[in-house]
């Protein structure tokens, strides 16, 4: 359950990028999460909503873009998705693959409301 | 609606501290391994056997990570090596800053190997660089031979696999060959050792490799 500490790090990064003043409300935070990053999206969303309660990020949605694992063959140079965690080159069969995508764990975008939404 | 575009690695703070740890290790010429496994695979037992074997041959220091208690540091300290316990109090993995703080309690001068025993967990520690040269994953035969398929990130991120408790193979539903095949499917570059801390099998081979690496 390291999703809690991941959520905490996301919150810190977003807070560093918010414009000064109290009128910025965050609509969503966009993440890139690789399939090899070991993150459970549901847990991350749950932790994020729990730690943002009562702050400027309350209600902000996590928008998670999953990045599939891609391997690049060091022998034949071919690039292909790694399916079912079989790390072998589909062209030449070599196991000598570099993982070129799938380890991502990044905040890529913060979307703000132009003004605070009216209270219901 | 306005959008702020940023490209920030979520674990950048951890990675920065890990890089500082790594350059500290390099200054001392230390070979550092991060041992990971599920709870009970035998990390501490392998460590004890290794310390016994390496006594008088290599100068070893140990950092122990556990959720609670300093039992493991006590076990290890009996072998006369500097051992520092990190208690995470619920945390499921070690982070680079915890290791940095623990390092303040070890005199690294003259040390050749630092072994960091992570919290028993096959998921969370795989994301956190501590500054080590490599991760060593321990899988025991009693856990089943499908572990690498269930926890691919850890087996992919490790450089070495130690298959422990091989003496129990006759009593469990687990095949060494299948375990090896599954691990190599995830990570064909894995260096594999087979050990038993009860019979002592394979410990010499594992330790000779450690010695060789530490002297590079």
């Amino acid at each position: 359950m390291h999703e809690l500490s991941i959520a905490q790090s996301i919150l810190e990064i977003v807070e560093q990028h918010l414009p000064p003043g109290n009128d910025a409300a965050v609509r969503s935070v966009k993440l890139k999460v690789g399939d090899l990053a070991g993150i459970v999206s549901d847990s991350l969303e749950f932790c994020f909503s729990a730690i943002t309660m009562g702050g400027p990020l309350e209600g902000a949605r996590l928008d998670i873009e999953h990045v599939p694992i891609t391997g690049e063959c060091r022998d034949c140079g071919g690039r292909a998705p790694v399916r079912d965690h079989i790390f072998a080159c589909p062209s030449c069969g070599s196991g000598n693959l570099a993982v070129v995508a799938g380890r991502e764990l990044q905040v890529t975008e913060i979307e703000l409301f132009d003004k605070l939404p009216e209270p219901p | 609606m306005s959008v702020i575009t940023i490209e920030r690695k979520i674990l950048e703070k951890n990675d920065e501290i890990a890089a500082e740890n790594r350059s500290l290790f390099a200054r001392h010429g230390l070979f550092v391994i991060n041992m990971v496994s599920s709870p009970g695979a035998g990390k501490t037992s392998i460590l004890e056997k290794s310390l016994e074997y390496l006594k008088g041959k290599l100068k070893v220091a140990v950092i122990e990570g556990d959720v609670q208690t300093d039992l493991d540091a006590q076990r290890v300290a009996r072998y006369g090596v500097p051992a520092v316990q990190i208690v995470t109090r619920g945390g499921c993995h070690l982070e680079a800053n915890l290791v940095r703080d623990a390092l303040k309690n070890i005199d690294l001068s003259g040390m050749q190997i630092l072994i960091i025993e992570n919290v028993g967990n096959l998921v969370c520690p795989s994301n956190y660089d501590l500054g080590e040269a490599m991760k060593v994953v321990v899988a025991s035969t009693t856990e089943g031979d499908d572990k690498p398929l269930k926890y691919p990130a850890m087996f992919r991120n490790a450089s070495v696999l130690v298959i422990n408790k091989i003496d129990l193979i006759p009593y469990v539903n687990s095949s060494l060959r299948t375990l090896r095949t599954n691990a190599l499917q995830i990570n064909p570059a894995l260096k594999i050792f087979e050990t038993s801390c009860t019979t002592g099998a394979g410990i010499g081979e594992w330790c000779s490799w450690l010695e060789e690496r530490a002297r590079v």
Side-chain angles (χ1 to χ4, degrees):
Chain A
M1 255 303 281
H2 61 310
E3 280 79 0
L4 183 58
S5 84
I6 299 281
Q8 191 66 47
S9 303
I10 295 171
L11 178 59
E12 281 167 25
I13 289 173
V14 172
E15 280 174 343
Q16 288 165 17
H17 287 269
L18 284 185
N22 297 323
D23 50 353
V26 178
R27 183 192 189 103
S28 71
V29 178
K30 201 167 172 183
L31 309 178
K32 254 188 204 169
V33 177
D35 285 347
L36 208 52
I39 298 292
V40 179
S41 301
D42 287 351
S43 306
L44 184 59
E45 283 164 7
F46 174 79
C47 292
F48 188 74
S49 67
I51 62 167
T52 50
M53 248 178 236
L57 270 81
E58 179 161 3
R61 197 183 67 231
L62 279 188
D63 192 356
I64 302 176
E65 179 194 342
H66 291 275
V67 183
I69 307 169
T70 303
E72 188 176 274
C73 182
R74 292 195 185 96
D75 291 327
C76 77
R79 250 183 201 230
V82 173
R83 295 209 172 86
D84 303 322
H85 292 104
I86 299 174
F87 287 81
C89 173
S91 313
C92 73
S94 164
N96 193 8
L97 291 190
V99 173
V100 292
R103 293 191 195 276
E104 294 78 358
L105 193 49
Q106 287 174 348
V107 181
T108 55
E109 225 172 73
I110 304 164
E111 193 185 38
L112 302 176
F113 286 109
D114 285 334
K115 53 179 186 183
L116 284 173
E118 295 299 321
Chain B
M1 192 176 317
S2 53
V3 170
I4 304 170
T5 304
I6 53 176
E7 287 281 341
R8 293 272 302 268
K9 286 174 77 178
I10 293 170
L11 294 178
E12 63 184 6
K13 213 159 102 188
N14 181 77
D15 292 349
E16 278 166 24
I17 299 171
E20 288 167 21
N21 291 347
R22 189 165 281 118
S23 54
L24 176 72
F25 298 150
R27 278 203 300 282
H28 288 275
L30 255 187
F31 177 59
V32 183
I33 63 171
N34 177 1
M35 283 179 87
V36 292
S37 79
S38 53
K43 290 186 298 303
T44 315
S45 297
I46 292 173
L47 189 47
E48 287 181 293
K49 288 286 167 192
S50 307
L51 292 174
E52 215 174 271
Y53 188 97
L54 293 170
K55 200 166 190 173
K57 296 179 179 145
L58 273 186
K59 292 200 78 180
V60 189
V62 175
I63 293 178
E64 284 288 343
D66 277 297
V67 173
Q68 282 298 349
T69 80
D70 65 348
L71 292 172
D72 279 0
Q74 288 180 34
R75 267 172 77 176
V76 166
R78 288 187 312 206
Y79 296 86
V81 300
V84 175
Q85 180 80 47
I86 300 173
V87 178
T88 62
R89 304 200 187 283
C92 52
H93 59 274
L94 292 182
E95 297 190 11
N97 65 322
L98 296 175
V99 170
R100 178 187 60 191
D101 295 346
L103 286 169
K104 291 173 189 152
N105 300 309
I106 303 179
D107 181 9
L108 293 180
S109 48
M111 286 295 158
Q112 291 164 294
I113 296 194
L114 171 66
I115 300 177
I116 303 171
E117 184 183 336
N118 217 311
V119 177
N121 180 335
L122 273 180
V123 182
C124 314
S126 84
N127 273 334
Y128 293 86
D129 184 9
L130 306 177
E132 72 272 7
M134 59 180 67
K135 288 188 173 70
V136 173
V137 60
V138 179
S140 60
T141 57
T142 54
E143 296 167 61
D145 47 29
D146 52 3
K147 268 283 145 75
L149 304 180
K150 291 180 172 171
Y151 299 91
M154 189 61 95
F155 285 81
R156 182 72 200 178
N157 291 341
S159 307
V160 176
L161 163 64
V162 180
I163 302 175
N164 193 30
K165 308 189 191 178
I166 53 167
D167 54 309
L168 297 182
I169 276 285
Y171 313 106
V172 294
N173 243 342
S174 182
S175 140
L176 270 181
R177 183 202 288 256
T178 311
L179 180 51
R180 275 177 169 270
T181 307
N182 288 339
L184 291 172
Q185 176 198 308
I186 304 294
N187 187 354
L190 266 181
K191 168 102 183 137
I192 302 179
F193 294 94
E194 295 176 1
T195 60
S196 161
C197 294
T198 306
T199 67
I203 295 293
E205 204 186 336
W206 151 248
C207 287
S208 307
W209 177 83
L210 270 183
E211 262 191 279
E212 211 175 286
R213 289 304 309 241
R215 294 190 197 283
V216 170

